[in-house]
Amino acid sequence: MTSGVAALTQSPDRPRLGREDGALVDPFGRAITYLRVSVTDRCDFRCVYCMAENMTFLPKADLLSLEELDRLCSVFVG
């Protein structure tokens, strides 16, 4: 079994820890310096780049709670 960090470093298609400072790096070698989080899958903008015309939404029980989102973001921010 591999750790999450090891799994990230083994795949060329995924972000990896690739600099001395431990920054997360994308497949093009760019440091990832921001975190984008969606708190809902029911956005009203319906942008074509992120939402299909006939979108199927997840049941609320399958989504992270606001407390879980807060914890996740806190871990990424440090």
Side-chain angles (χ1 to χ4, degrees):
M1 181 175 196
T2 61
S3 72
V5 172
L8 286 175
T9 59
Q10 292 172 357
S11 173
D13 297 331
R14 289 193 166 161
R16 58 187 162 74
L17 294 175
R19 296 186 342 187
E20 297 89 36
D21 62 4
L24 196 59
V25 178
D26 74 8
F28 298 101
R30 301 173 295 200
I32 299 172
T33 59
Y34 64 93
L35 176 66
R36 176 183 273 179
V37 178
S38 175
V39 295
T40 181
D41 66 343
R42 288 169 171 76
C43 172
D44 289 334
F45 290 124
R46 302 292 187 255
C47 302
V48 295
Y49 62 87
C50 70
M51 188 169 287
E53 193 170 315
N54 297 317
M55 191 71 184
T56 302
F57 297 108
L58 294 171
K60 186 170 179 138
D62 291 347
L63 301 175
L64 293 176
S65 68
L66 292 178
E67 291 79 13
E68 291 168 324
L69 284 167
D70 179 50
R71 175 68 181 133
L72 180 68
C73 293
S74 296
V75 168
F76 274 98
V77 171

